[in-house]
Amino acid sequence: MSNIKNINLKILDNFSLKIIAIILMTIDHIGLFFIPEPTFAYEILRIIGRLAMPIFCFLSTQGALKSHKPIIYAIRLLIVGVLIDACMVIYDRNMYYGNALTSLSLGVFAVYFLNKRNLLSLVSIIPLSILALSSFSFFPIRMDDGLLSALLFVSFFLAQLVAEKYAEYVGKSSGFSNETIQLYKANYLQSKINILACIFMLTSYLILMLIDMYQLNQYPVENTLSFAIQSYGVLSAVFILLYNGKLGYSNKILKYSFYIYYPLHILIFYIISYFI
């Protein structure tokens, strides 16, 4: 029985979770570029892809909270995202639509200011508002999973905040020293964060469902997936619960490869789809 209790289920580090999210995203884009709509295969691939964005938002939140330079992290995402968007606007001569990287960059900016935990936290209203409002047709800007991203970033930040406050409360009420509280955080805090993140994520999807029910009749948005498909994103909780909070394998080449992969695979998929 003791052996069962000692099994460590937190087997996914930052690198592993990011690879999983990239694979899920790639499967989603295979469906988007190569499978005719609406077919069963198209829906299955897009459903699988719905698990990617919550994982990216979770990792970006963790990165913003643990990074020594979260603003630099956000700026990198924003620069790559805006360059992709600029190319799409020039090519399509259409409105600004935004992509996953621009959504993630705004989310990281929001978490950075929220984590100040003072008056500066009010600045987070700006990026969160842009994300949230972009899901409504009256707003002139479109962002990839805008409202969902805003809800997820707030949810994952609150999960971190509540877990930390709970650990401090239990430690102080039990008379533990600051060193003991820090030791507890190092060993058990991530599990609490993961659980709370999944609970708050589920709440976000419930809020999204209610807003979606109202939005369909008031401010419809074209070319977006239905909530019935979007809702499968909650299944990403399976991976988030296995996160151990560690960085995992990392080097500079790999670090920048993640930024390059998004626009590169989109470009390759577009070229292939154009000729077939």
Side-chain angles (χ1 to χ4, degrees):
M1 193 71 177
S2 59
N3 291 333
I4 295 177
K5 290 183 179 179
N6 291 330
I7 294 176
N8 182 12
L9 295 178
K10 297 191 295 296
I11 58 176
L12 298 178
D13 54 32
N14 187 286
F15 172 76
S16 302
L17 200 52
K18 191 175 293 183
I19 292 297
I20 290 171
I22 287 174
I23 292 172
L24 293 169
M25 175 188 69
T26 304
I27 292 173
D28 177 52
H29 290 161
I30 290 173
L32 178 64
F33 280 92
F34 303 115
I35 307 298
E37 178 187 358
T39 61
F40 179 73
Y42 172 85
E43 290 194 356
I44 290 298
L45 294 182
R46 299 311 304 274
I47 285 172
I48 293 173
R50 295 314 92 207
L51 279 66
M53 196 60 175
I55 297 175
F56 280 128
C57 289
F58 178 75
L59 289 176
S60 296
T61 301
Q62 291 287 295
L65 294 172
K66 295 179 180 180
S67 173
H68 297 297
K69 298 178 180 179
I71 287 296
I72 301 299
Y73 173 47
I75 290 174
R76 284 175 184 157
L77 289 171
L78 184 62
I79 289 174
V80 178
V82 169
L83 286 175
I84 296 172
D85 295 333
C87 292
M88 293 303 296
V89 169
I90 293 172
Y91 176 79
D92 286 339
R93 298 187 180 280
N94 209 329
M95 67 183 298
Y96 179 83
Y97 274 96
N99 60 73
L101 295 184
T102 48
S103 295
L104 292 175
S105 68
L106 290 177
V108 172
F109 277 119
V111 171
Y112 169 77
F113 286 109
L114 284 172
N115 199 40
K116 292 293 184 182
R117 306 184 191 185
N118 54 33
L119 284 177
L120 270 176
S121 296
L122 294 175
V123 178
S124 64
I125 294 174
I126 298 174
L128 289 175
S129 296
I130 294 173
L131 281 172
L133 292 174
S134 68
S135 290
F136 296 91
S137 59
F138 63 79
F139 198 66
I141 295 175
R142 292 286 168 269
M143 304 293 291
D144 197 9
D145 293 324
L147 177 57
L148 175 61
S149 298
L151 291 170
L152 289 176
F153 273 107
V154 172
S155 295
F156 295 148
F157 172 76
L158 287 177
Q160 179 86 24
L161 180 64
V162 172
E164 288 179 358
K165 294 298 182 183
Y166 175 76
E168 292 172 3
Y169 170 76
V170 171
K172 290 178 180 178
S173 62
S174 302
F176 296 154
S177 65
N178 289 333
E179 290 77 9
T180 303
I181 294 174
Q182 293 304 316
L183 183 62
Y184 172 82
K185 286 183 176 181
N187 290 284
Y188 302 105
L189 187 62
Q190 191 63 56
S191 293
K192 304 294 187 296
I193 293 171
N194 295 349
I195 293 171
L196 287 171
C198 293
I199 294 173
F200 292 158
M201 177 174 65
L202 177 59
T203 304
S204 294
Y205 275 92
L206 291 174
I207 293 172
L208 186 66
M209 179 183 70
L210 294 174
I211 293 175
D212 187 72
M213 290 169 62
Y214 171 76
Q215 177 185 333
L216 287 176
N217 296 321
Q218 299 296 321
Y219 303 107
V221 178
E222 297 180 357
N223 301 320
T224 59
L225 294 172
S226 68
F227 179 76
I229 291 180
Q230 289 282 10
S231 63
Y232 282 92
V234 298
L235 297 178
S236 61
V238 174
F239 299 108
I240 292 174
L241 287 171
L242 299 177
Y243 180 60
N244 59 23
K246 297 178 181 179
L247 180 60
Y249 183 74
S250 179
N251 59 51
K252 284 190 175 181
I253 295 176
L254 189 63
K255 178 181 178 181
Y256 290 103
S257 295
F258 287 126
Y259 293 102
I260 296 172
Y261 179 78
Y262 185 88
L264 182 61
H265 90 281
I266 290 289
L267 177 62
I268 292 173
F269 283 3
Y270 176 79
I271 293 174
I272 294 174
S273 65
Y274 182 82
F275 287 103
I276 61 175

